[in-house]
Amino acid sequence: METGELIVRLVLIVVIFLISLVIAMYSTYAERKIAAFFQDRVGPNRAGPAGILQPLADGAKMFLKEEIIPTNSSKFLFIVGPSLAIMTACIGSAVIPWGQQIQIGSKLYDLQVTDINVGLLYIFGVVSLGVYGIMIGGWASNNKYSLLGAIRAASQNISYEIAMGLSIIALLMVTNTLSLKEIAAQQHGWHWNILRQPFGFILFIVCAFAETNRTPFDLPECETELVGGYHTEYSSMKLGFYLFAEYINMFVSGAVMATLYWGSYNYPGMDWVAGHTGPVIAPLIGTVVLFAKIFLFIFFFMWVRWTIPRFRYDQLMDLGWKGLIPLAIANIIGTGLWITFFK
Amino acid sequence: MESLSNKRKVLESKPLNLWERIYLPAVVKGLSITLKHFLFKKDVTVRYPEQKREFSENFRGMHSLKRDEEGRERCTACGLCALSCPAEAITMIAAERKPGEENLYREEKYAAVYEINMLRCIFCGLCEEACPKEAIYLDGDIVPADYLRKDFIYGKDKLVEAPLNQ
């Protein structure tokens, strides 16, 4: 790899890292504000105009709070838990293509940190690593609520990963590649995968809710039964890391869904736009479109949170094993038949 | 058993049909309801310190010690308010009016010190009823918050009405 490309990559890594952190920060604000609007309230409105500085105030509060490590906890693992959670949340975005190739000077650069040919598997690996942060943290706390929350998180993630993987298989049969860059490029213009895999997308988004521990699948931290769930014993910035990891996960899974099903950086009329704006501006517009899609998904996550109540544990397992997995398998068969007879 | 009032409703819980069991239509319905709130419903919040809800006419807020038409303090330190107070929030020290102070105090005896502990006060208004001189009324605003307990003991500096010509 030559120096120019290396610099572009490094800049890209830093920028994406910052963007995911800022988005996670402002997701907390957006969540509170959106929750307020859904409930006919105002939401945070004291720190800065319309409460825009609220995340900074929250962050400062998190850092300044007393940090408590329980005496009977396993100290090393207690610290490893949140670190692992936030690390796996952050590295997930490495394979996502953020735009088309951009021309700087006379050379073309990918707007993607790395294009590994099994990018989808990488994302799956990282997502399933994410549950270790919760597991280790909950277990190391030496608290029954934390342990129960961690066990719930683990069983939930394992169950829904299967359905998620199966729904992806149907998508792979259509795209014939695991590389996210190619999947994104295939959906040029309006040829989005949602049109070819609408059912698979519904399965995928339900599983994505479960994987990110969002309502209606937020059993690992359900306050009514488990105090704080897996982060009951956590305080200060270690708690902040867990909360941050959840929002970064939301951002990354929004990005994955936008890339896999909703056309990534593609939008109808992109060729016309590219013809009129040139090879520098057009990819950036594509990136803006991608981010708009991601924000819509984040909004959707929050919208569902304030609509649907939490599942009971047995209902969760019932839906996962008896509902989604058979449906995902049926989807694979259906896709196979469709490819065989209509293509 | 036969229902006597005829008000009893028999509810039957039918098993869910397919449409209900696939759950998604209900989710979509719920989402549309919440979206209506998000988009169209106005918030009902009263933005408190900047914006205040109107009090009712008989609202009992902070006490004020009244003056008469000539601007003299009405209170004669009889102690009936302190006696009537169920929360024992009121204390006072009486003093005798000196010659030359007739323009300050209406009666020969007055309250040199008059203190109400706002943390004890329950704003029942019994002091107002007990007062024979119409000297105390709970006609003020909400008692403001503060940091120290000692600052909630309000003396005459905070309770007595402003003099007439000011």
Side-chain angles (χ1 to χ4, degrees):
Chain A
M1 207 182 285
E2 53 182 307
T3 2
E5 199 161 347
L6 204 64
I7 290 169
V8 170
R9 288 277 160 88
L10 275 177
V11 167
L12 200 63
I13 289 171
V14 172
V15 165
I16 288 169
F17 191 67
L18 287 180
I19 285 178
S20 19
L21 287 184
V22 168
I23 285 180
M25 247 170 84
Y26 271 88
S27 294
T28 63
Y29 169 72
E31 174 121 273
R32 293 170 64 180
K33 215 58 181 169
I34 287 172
F37 291 153
F38 275 124
Q39 297 166 355
D40 307 336
R41 294 188 285 114
V42 187
N45 66 344
R46 296 283 141 175
I52 202 81
L53 299 176
Q54 189 69 39
L56 297 177
D58 285 342
K61 181 202 78 175
M62 282 288 189
F63 272 112
L64 294 176
K65 276 205 160 182
E66 187 188 356
E67 191 164 334
I68 298 165
I69 299 180
T71 324
N72 287 330
S73 68
S74 160
K75 279 194 187 57
F76 176 68
L77 291 179
F78 193 78
I79 296 167
V80 165
S83 323
L84 202 60
I86 193 136
M87 193 190 80
T88 50
C90 284
I91 59 177
S93 56
V95 291
I96 290 164
W98 300 101
Q100 281 170 304
Q101 288 188 318
I102 190 168
Q103 191 179 356
I104 301 172
S106 58
K107 291 196 67 179
L108 288 170
Y109 293 102
D110 285 333
L111 282 178
Q112 184 182 20
V113 175
T114 178
D115 175 40
I116 37 183
N117 55 5
V118 288
L120 249 179
L121 286 184
Y122 170 83
I123 283 189
F124 266 78
V126 167
V127 164
S128 47
L129 272 180
V131 77
Y132 280 89
I134 293 173
M135 266 295 281
I136 289 172
W139 204 345
S141 302
N142 197 13
N143 170 321
K144 56 188 158 207
Y145 297 117
S146 305
L147 181 62
L148 279 172
I151 290 172
R152 281 183 178 190
S155 56
Q156 173 179 322
N157 274 39
I158 290 168
S159 313
Y160 280 77
E161 230 155 62
I162 299 172
M164 197 183 217
L166 289 175
S167 69
I168 282 295
I169 286 176
L171 182 77
L172 295 183
M173 288 160 71
V174 176
T175 59
N176 289 322
T177 174
L178 278 162
S179 152
L180 288 173
K181 187 183 172 187
E182 281 175 46
I183 291 177
Q186 278 174 8
Q187 307 178 61
H188 194 81
W190 53 269
H191 297 279
W192 297 355
N193 282 333
I194 178 74
L195 301 173
R196 297 192 279 180
Q197 279 290 322
F199 194 62
F201 171 70
I202 292 172
L203 295 174
F204 189 90
I205 196 169
V206 172
C207 296
F209 273 92
E211 293 282 308
T212 50
N213 295 330
R214 294 284 302 180
T215 324
F217 305 108
D218 61 342
L219 291 107
E221 45 189 314
C222 77
E223 294 87 357
T224 44
E225 298 158 25
L226 297 180
V227 193
Y230 60 87
H231 54 56
T232 304
E233 294 288 355
Y234 281 90
S235 54
S236 181
M237 205 52 209
K238 290 211 283 294
L239 173 71
F241 275 167
Y242 269 130
L243 304 182
F244 243 63
E246 183 184 326
Y247 285 105
I248 297 177
N249 278 331
M250 226 159 90
F251 168 62
V252 172
S253 69
V256 170
M257 282 188 285
T259 309
L260 293 183
Y261 289 98
W262 287 87
S264 190
Y265 46 75
N266 300 296
Y267 51 96
M270 60 188 298
D271 289 325
W272 183 85
V273 174
H276 282 72
T277 51
V280 181
I281 306 293
L284 291 178
I285 294 175
T287 308
V288 170
V289 168
L290 175 61
F291 271 94
K293 287 171 186 171
I294 294 170
F295 290 146
L296 280 179
F297 273 116
I298 292 177
F299 174 76
F300 186 70
F301 271 102
M302 293 171 180
W303 184 8
V304 168
R305 174 167 181 181
W306 301 108
T307 303
I308 309 174
R310 184 183 298 131
F311 278 99
R312 217 169 48 213
Y313 185 71
D314 62 309
Q315 291 172 330
L316 174 93
M317 286 296 145
D318 206 54
L319 180 69
W321 289 96
K322 293 193 205 155
L324 293 179
I325 292 177
L327 284 174
I329 292 172
N331 187 38
I332 293 174
I333 296 170
T335 311
L337 290 175
W338 180 67
I339 289 173
T340 317
F341 292 113
F342 297 102
K343 281 231 163 173
Chain B
M1 213 161 57
E2 188 74 18
S3 164
L4 293 175
S5 63
N6 218 14
K7 281 179 187 165
R8 191 174 65 177
K9 262 189 199 165
V10 182
L11 296 174
E12 45 180 337
S13 58
K14 278 183 276 184
L16 303 178
N17 59 31
L18 182 70
W19 183 252
E20 287 160 341
R21 258 191 299 139
I22 50 178
Y23 196 68
L24 284 178
V27 170
V28 172
K29 203 170 147 193
L31 287 174
S32 70
I33 290 172
T34 45
L35 191 67
K36 255 178 240 159
H37 281 265
F38 183 78
L39 294 175
F40 303 119
K41 280 274 176 78
K42 273 196 72 179
D43 58 70
V44 291
T45 312
V46 178
R47 286 156 175 77
Y48 179 61
E50 296 93 48
Q51 199 185 356
K52 278 183 188 165
R53 187 170 276 159
E54 222 176 282
F55 291 136
S56 99
E57 257 175 52
N58 53 4
F59 174 82
R60 294 192 292 266
M62 201 172 104
H63 316 64
S64 69
L65 292 171
K66 299 293 177 191
R67 293 173 189 272
D68 68 358
E69 347 20 279
E70 293 164 41
R72 303 174 297 185
E73 285 177 25
R74 301 180 84 111
C75 178
T76 182
C78 63
L80 281 177
C81 49
L83 204 63
S84 71
C85 181
E88 299 196 4
I90 305 176
T91 59
M92 67 189 77
I93 295 170
E96 204 174 333
R97 186 178 70 185
K98 302 268 159 43
E101 289 181 333
E102 284 86 355
N103 60 332
L104 292 174
Y105 312 110
R106 197 169 69 162
E107 314 287 338
E108 282 110 60
K109 202 176 115 202
Y110 69 94
V113 177
Y114 191 104
E115 286 180 345
I116 302 178
N117 186 338
M118 289 301 177
L119 292 176
R120 292 196 69 106
C121 180
I122 57 170
F123 301 95
C124 59
L126 287 184
C127 47
E128 188 179 295
E129 277 176 41
C131 186
K133 298 289 182 188
E134 301 193 332
I136 188 164
Y137 283 97
L138 278 73
D139 55 1
D141 208 342
I142 295 172
V143 177
D146 215 325
Y147 292 101
L148 297 173
R149 279 172 178 271
K150 68 176 178 57
D151 295 334
F152 281 100
I153 298 171
Y154 282 26
K156 280 181 81 175
D157 53 325
K158 286 183 179 171
L159 293 171
V160 180
E161 258 189 339
L164 275 186
N165 302 324
Q166 284 182 13

